[in-house]
Amino acid sequence: MPSSVFPPRSAQAQAPDVAAPARLAAAIESVAAADPDRVAIVTAAGLGPDRRRAVSYGTLASDVAVMERRLAEAHPIGVIARSGEIAALVAIVAACGRQRVPLALVAEDSRDLVGELRDWSVCGDDLAVPSPPAQGRSRREYDSSSPQVVVATSGTSGPPKLVEHSWDSLLAAARLAEQWHGRGWILVYDGTRWAGTQVWLQAILTGGRLIVPASRDPDCVARAAADEDVSILPATPTLLRRVIASADSDAVGRMRLDRITLGGEAADGQLLEQARALFPTARVTHVYATTELGEVFRVSDGLPGFPAEWLGRALPGGAKLSTRRDGELLVQLSRDTAEVATGDLVERRGERYEFSGRRSDTIFVGGAKVFPRRVEDVLRAVPGVVDARAYGLPSAITGEIVAAQIVAVDPLPEGVTPENLRAAALAACRSALEAHSVPRVLDFTRKLFTNPSGKVPRRPVGR
Amino acid sequence: MTSIDGATRDIAAEVREAILAVYRDTARPPRDTPGSALLGGDLGLDSLDLAQIIVLLERSLGVDPFRDARGSAPHPPIRTVDHIVALYAATLAARS
């Protein structure tokens, strides 16, 4: 969709003269005023025209107004927005922002954390605002300086926890050049998680269409992207790998992506090459962000990791990178803030630093370290292997041993049997890895388990 | 009902199958595995190989004597094929 159809008033809504907390509501209102029927959100996409449900900017603006009125009446201490219908979530967030009501975005699997916010009102799809509990406090005036936004972490590095942000940090990444306005964005993340908020905020703040596929099944994602004219695909490398390897090839062929934004996991060189070959016009960007830090940097040169010269220098956003002796990446967001240990390990390879995995994912075999990502990269490069996951299995003899699961192409090429594919995978590992890094347990699986953030966990599942 | 001897024979077969799987997975030629064969000296198996055998036997026999016996008396040294068979037979017998 050409950017010229984007109403200029919406661009003004993004301008710094609208305070960050009010910016989302203002952006929705300005698009609705100029073009009320413009589609803002499509849900249940990818199952055909009869199943999709579209919500216009006009409807979204009305919902925001309803929600703002109810907030003004109920005066909640804060609002916990529950995931459900994404349109309701957008309306709740926009209204809380402009009304300066503290807001918490809590995914379904982080419900245990809500106890920390016990006086807050839980709002869902019906946009009702329950009054604060009788024994609780009520609030007449909200902090006019900086209302908080609380987001639950995805739990990649430990149990999920609540992290407080300002509206400025929530919207920091949502300033896009005009060429990206009015586009179709696909949302494959939970809308209440950091990664998900970044996708729908960028889509709605730029007058775009947010396309929510009916499921994360690769076929459904590819059909939703093709049918709904999606041009921007933010996804984890795991999901993109699945779409490339196993989604309906007709749908993949009809996808017209201009931008692929990878995040949540490190992207390997093989995947970046495949993405470039299949979507030659798309700009492939890898974003390094965490729920705690927000976006730290992005790399768009098509190579894995980041340039080695970035270490020790202030990056465009002001962040500074360094490493510990063991290779853990440290981030200092600004001069006034402390260094944060990210838990991500990096290794220098030539002129790049490449991600070798999470510190917590490291497998220790007889005292020697194994990075599961290296094992997975080797396995994925074996012809006939679509995806792989390596993890440590506890062992009384060696502490841990390396185990791996592989997903084979379906159907297997003629003449290839599961037995000889498995032998080829082990042979590839023996020639590329040290002896203790070669998987001692190698199983086939039809699909790798992914957690609610769309990432593949590397600790044993179900043990 | 399987006799103790019958059960031991089954365990011995599973142990030999696990050792052969280790040879196969590590691309080494298979060797004969008599009960008296020394795991290191005769069969050329190292600690990683033994760790793999234990995982394979947990899958086929449903027990890991090392994990299941945690906190109880230490098991005798495992030096031969027969030692492995005896350890699994004792663990399975203690379970039933």
Side-chain angles (χ1 to χ4, degrees):
Chain A
M1 189 179 287
S3 60
S4 56
V5 300
F6 186 63
R9 283 189 62 197
S10 306
Q12 286 165 17
Q14 284 200 93
D17 57 319
V18 177
R23 213 172 287 157
L24 179 61
I28 293 168
E29 243 170 30
S30 70
V31 180
D35 187 2
D37 295 329
R38 180 190 290 202
V39 171
I41 296 169
V42 175
T43 54
L47 299 178
D50 302 340
R51 306 279 288 276
R52 77 192 277 280
R53 292 191 302 274
V55 176
S56 68
Y57 273 91
T59 304
L60 202 53
S62 306
D63 286 351
V64 175
V66 166
M67 189 67 199
E68 286 193 80
R69 210 165 46 241
R70 291 178 179 171
L71 288 172
E73 285 161 11
H75 287 280
I77 303 291
V79 161
I80 299 167
R82 276 277 164 76
S83 59
E85 282 294 321
I86 190 77
L89 182 70
V90 173
I92 293 168
V93 174
C96 286
R98 191 152 64 183
Q99 292 299 312
R100 296 183 172 274
V101 177
L103 172 71
L105 299 165
V106 180
E108 279 299 308
D109 65 343
S110 306
R111 280 186 169 204
D112 293 351
L113 300 173
V114 169
E116 294 179 32
L117 311 168
R118 53 185 167 276
D119 294 335
W120 292 31
S121 302
V122 178
C123 296
D125 296 345
D126 60 359
L127 302 182
V129 184
S131 296
Q135 72 277 21
R137 298 165 293 137
S138 65
R139 181 182 272 190
R140 289 288 149 210
E141 284 182 23
Y142 299 111
D143 181 352
S144 60
S145 55
S146 59
Q148 61 187 155
V149 184
V150 177
V151 184
T153 63
S154 62
T156 308
S157 53
K161 59 180 186 284
L162 298 178
V163 177
E164 200 172 308
H165 284 277
S166 67
W167 274 88
D168 281 312
S169 67
L170 192 68
L171 303 188
R175 293 182 178 280
L176 291 172
E178 203 150 331
Q179 71 175 114
W180 300 110
H181 290 193
R183 301 293 195 104
W185 296 67
I186 197 157
L187 177 69
V188 290
Y189 299 125
D190 183 325
T192 57
R193 290 185 189 280
W194 180 265
T197 61
Q198 295 303 296
V199 176
W200 65 255
L201 278 167
Q202 292 185 84
I204 302 297
L205 282 167
T206 54
R209 281 165 297 116
L210 183 72
I211 309 301
V212 187
S215 77
R216 282 192 206 149
D217 172 74
D219 282 346
C220 187
V221 171
R223 285 185 195 130
D227 297 349
E228 301 290 346
D229 193 22
V230 163
S231 58
I232 301 171
L233 170 74
T236 57
T238 296
L239 183 80
L240 180 62
R241 204 175 282 122
R242 278 185 191 167
V243 168
I244 289 175
S246 56
D248 170 14
S249 55
D250 165 63
V252 174
R254 289 189 293 116
M255 286 168 72
R256 294 284 172 267
L257 299 179
D258 291 326
R259 219 175 135 125
I260 299 172
T261 308
L262 298 171
E265 301 168 309
D268 55 279
Q270 192 190 354
L271 178 67
L272 294 169
E273 272 171 36
Q274 287 173 333
R276 227 184 357 254
L278 201 56
F279 307 109
T281 57
R283 179 184 172 85
V284 182
T285 300
H286 188 204
V287 176
Y288 183 80
T290 72
T291 309
E292 290 93 335
L293 296 169
E295 181 174 325
V296 179
F297 62 81
R298 47 179 62 211
V299 188
S300 303
D301 59 8
L303 299 172
F306 57 88
E309 64 195 30
W310 285 12
L311 220 64
R313 260 195 217 172
L315 300 179
K320 211 168 173 180
L321 309 178
S322 56
T323 56
R324 275 198 178 140
R325 282 182 64 185
D326 68 353
E328 181 173 2
L329 184 67
L330 305 172
V331 173
Q332 187 179 20
L333 280 181
S334 67
R335 276 189 185 176
D336 317 324
T337 58
E339 270 185 336
V340 176
T342 60
D344 287 310
L345 300 171
V346 293
E347 250 182 325
R348 182 151 185 172
R349 288 189 199 156
E351 295 307 304
R352 308 288 286 190
Y353 273 98
E354 294 187 21
F355 291 92
S356 40
R358 303 272 313 156
R359 179 202 274 279
S360 56
D361 291 339
T362 307
I363 305 167
F364 290 91
V365 180
K369 281 184 193 173
V370 178
F371 299 122
R373 266 189 56 81
R374 281 199 62 204
V375 181
E376 291 165 3
D377 287 351
V378 172
L379 289 170
R380 280 193 209 106
V382 175
V385 174
V386 171
D387 205 353
R389 162 184 176 251
Y391 59 99
L393 269 183
S395 164
I397 309 293
T398 55
E400 286 184 293
I401 58 170
V402 179
Q405 292 177 309
I406 50 176
V407 181
V409 286
D410 187 19
L412 282 171
E414 214 177 301
V416 176
T417 63
E419 290 74 28
N420 58 31
L421 179 57
R422 187 174 179 280
L426 287 172
C429 289
R430 278 196 301 276
S431 68
L433 302 168
E434 292 162 301
H436 63 270
S437 302
V438 176
R440 285 303 184 132
V441 174
L442 182 62
D443 297 316
F444 285 95
T445 183
R446 290 182 65 82
K447 189 180 164 189
L448 296 178
F449 173 82
T450 51
N451 65 20
S453 303
K455 305 178 194 179
V456 174
R458 292 204 181 82
R459 288 284 112 193
V461 176
R463 276 182 73 100
Chain B
M1 198 173 143
T2 319
S3 67
I4 295 290
D5 282 352
T8 305
R9 267 200 306 279
D10 292 344
I11 294 167
E14 295 295 350
V15 169
R16 291 204 163 80
E17 179 52 41
I19 294 171
L20 291 177
V22 167
Y23 286 137
R24 194 179 58 234
D25 282 359
T26 53
R28 285 178 286 179
R31 299 187 192 185
D32 286 339
T33 55
S36 60
L38 291 168
L39 300 178
D42 297 332
L43 302 184
L45 300 174
D46 62 15
S47 57
L48 263 176
D49 297 327
L50 186 57
Q52 181 179 353
I53 288 167
I54 290 165
V55 172
L56 296 176
L57 289 175
E58 185 180 11
R59 289 181 170 192
S60 60
L61 298 174
V63 290
D64 176 347
F66 298 88
R67 192 169 50 233
D68 297 351
R70 207 171 281 165
S72 61
H75 53 76
I78 306 292
R79 302 185 63 238
T80 65
V81 174
D82 278 346
H83 287 159
I84 302 182
V85 176
L87 177 64
Y88 278 83
T91 306
L92 284 166
R95 251 192 161 197
S96 58

